[in-house]
Amino acid sequence: MSIVYLNGNYLAEEDASISVLDRGFIFGDGVYEVIPCYGGHLFRLEQHLQRLQNSLDGIRLENPLTDSQWQETIKEVVKRNNDDNADQSIYLQVTRGAAKRDHVFPDKVSQTVFIMSSVMQPVSDAKLKKGVVAITHDDIRWRYCHIKSIALLPNTLMRQVAREAGADEAILNRDGKITEGAASNIFIVKDKKIITPPKNECLLPGITRDLILEIAADSGLAHSEEEISLAQLQDADEIWLTSSTKEILPVTQLDDVAVGNGKPGPCWQDMLARYQEHKKLLRSGDAH
Ligand code: PDD
């Protein structure tokens, strides 16, 4: 049975409920985080809490908990869902709470805080061996994509378009520049150089993205943060998608055309091995 946290209480998932007037439900007025937990160790918690703070600042909503309260509460959710020692994916969201429906913020806000855990489903070996299929799609989202908003309708629409085209992800193109995936960040490799778009308001500053750049720097691998055009994407030797839940996925087909030789590339293999090494350290408590 899954135990969730809702506004100060730990409850069975089916017993947790919120008001129909919650602004998260009515307006999508809230922000969220997804934090992996490997062997009981939270992945980059400090960075996730910092991004949460940035998202809350971005929507002008006060953080209802201190960092140590977040840490304590998330750890309790992990503990209460730790039946079989499986890796977990922690989802948390904060909304502007329940209020009479009005676009303008309520005078008195009582945030809704919700945390749940699911068993982390690792990407199958078969998928990693073959790579995934992606399509390109016009980036139809708003201009504050650095905020991890719960209002994900454009993202879900684009993911669905990808699914119906037999693809795993939609890679987004805003005015000729590639921003990210519908639920992932993007990297390309050209002539052994690892490239990802710089952080700005057009993309989410992914925690996985940052770790990959850190690993590249520590390992002396050629890398840079620079704009990627659609033409560069189409001409890449390798394309990777990154996220907390999918880690690093190699894209081997883009819009019906093979990427590189159509197989996961050597730079991806090397980076994935380094990433797994980092996770091993995290499991033993020697990394964060
Ligand atoms: N999404 N960009 C978007 C639009 C995302 O939704 C995500 C992750 C990322 C990658 O960020 P990170 O490395 O911090 O997970 C980039 C999560 C996993 C989700 O919505 O489920």
Side-chain angles (χ1 to χ4, degrees):
M1 183 183 57
S2 170
I3 301 294
V4 304
Y5 171 90
L6 180 65
N7 297 332
N9 300 305
Y10 297 93
L11 304 161
E13 183 195 309
E14 54 272 30
D15 295 333
S17 60
I18 58 161
S19 162
V20 290
L21 289 181
D22 194 281
R23 289 179 63 100
F25 179 54
I26 297 284
F27 291 119
D29 184 356
V31 295
Y32 77 107
E33 281 294 323
V34 178
I35 311 174
C37 185
Y38 300 113
H41 297 276
L42 290 159
F43 176 77
R44 309 227 127 183
L45 179 65
E46 194 186 318
Q47 288 89 335
H48 278 282
L49 292 180
Q50 182 59 56
R51 185 172 66 185
L52 173 67
Q53 184 63 56
N54 296 346
S55 294
L56 288 165
D57 291 345
I59 66 163
R60 297 159 63 190
L61 181 58
E62 201 182 316
N63 195 334
L65 302 179
T66 62
D67 278 5
S68 54
Q69 285 171 326
W70 276 116
Q71 181 164 354
E72 209 175 289
T73 313
I74 294 168
K75 284 194 168 160
E76 189 60 30
V77 172
V78 167
K79 205 168 104 192
R80 291 185 188 229
N81 288 282
N82 198 21
D83 297 338
D84 47 7
N85 234 359
D87 291 343
Q88 298 178 41
S89 169
I90 300 298
Y91 175 90
L92 65 89
Q93 87 169 42
V94 183
T95 77
R96 210 176 306 271
K100 185 172 176 304
R101 186 180 182 277
D102 184 348
H103 287 64
V104 173
F105 298 166
D107 291 335
K108 238 182 102 34
V109 170
S110 176
Q111 296 92 330
T112 299
V113 179
F114 174 61
I115 310 175
M116 66 177 167
S117 165
S118 352
V119 171
M120 184 97 141
Q121 299 292 352
V123 177
S124 71
D125 285 343
K127 203 162 212 175
L128 288 179
K129 224 168 156 194
K130 197 161 169 272
V132 301
V133 176
I135 56 164
T136 50
H137 195 294
D138 189 28
D139 193 342
I140 58 174
R141 300 172 301 164
W142 69 335
R143 300 201 70 92
Y144 288 166
C145 295
H146 59 300
I147 297 172
K148 205 161 170 51
S149 159
I150 61 168
L152 288 173
L153 190 54
N155 306 63
T156 62
L157 278 169
M158 294 185 292
R159 253 291 165 90
Q160 186 62 26
V161 171
R163 167 65 58 87
E164 287 168 12
D168 295 81
E169 181 61 303
I171 296 178
L172 312 182
N173 174 2
R174 192 186 282 260
D175 303 327
K177 286 183 183 136
I178 301 305
T179 54
E180 57 181 339
S184 54
N185 287 113
I186 183 143
F187 284 78
I188 62 167
V189 177
K190 187 67 191 170
D191 299 330
K192 302 232 157 21
K193 186 176 172 193
I194 300 164
I195 306 169
T196 195
K199 287 183 192 173
N200 56 40
E201 294 190 348
C202 293
L203 58 97
L204 185 80
I207 308 294
T208 320
R209 170 199 181 276
D210 285 355
L211 176 56
I212 289 168
L213 288 177
E214 236 177 85
I215 293 174
D218 290 349
S219 316
L221 305 173
H223 65 283
S224 77
E225 292 172 79
E226 54 188 86
E227 301 286 7
I228 298 172
S229 67
L230 177 60
Q232 278 174 293
L233 180 75
Q234 289 162 336
D235 188 43
D237 300 329
E238 300 183 23
I239 300 175
W240 311 340
L241 300 169
T242 70
S243 77
S244 298
T245 42
K246 300 280 168 59
E247 303 184 346
I248 319 170
L249 283 181
V251 177
T252 47
Q253 189 185 315
L254 178 73
D255 291 333
D256 293 333
V257 179
V259 176
N261 65 3
K263 297 203 175 86
C267 294
W268 168 77
Q269 246 143 19
D270 175 59
M271 182 54 79
L272 186 70
R274 293 177 195 274
Y275 194 88
Q276 296 309 333
E277 200 51 44
H278 183 90
K279 268 173 59 190
K280 230 190 250 167
L281 290 177
L282 178 72
R283 280 182 199 285
S284 59
D286 293 332
H288 64 286

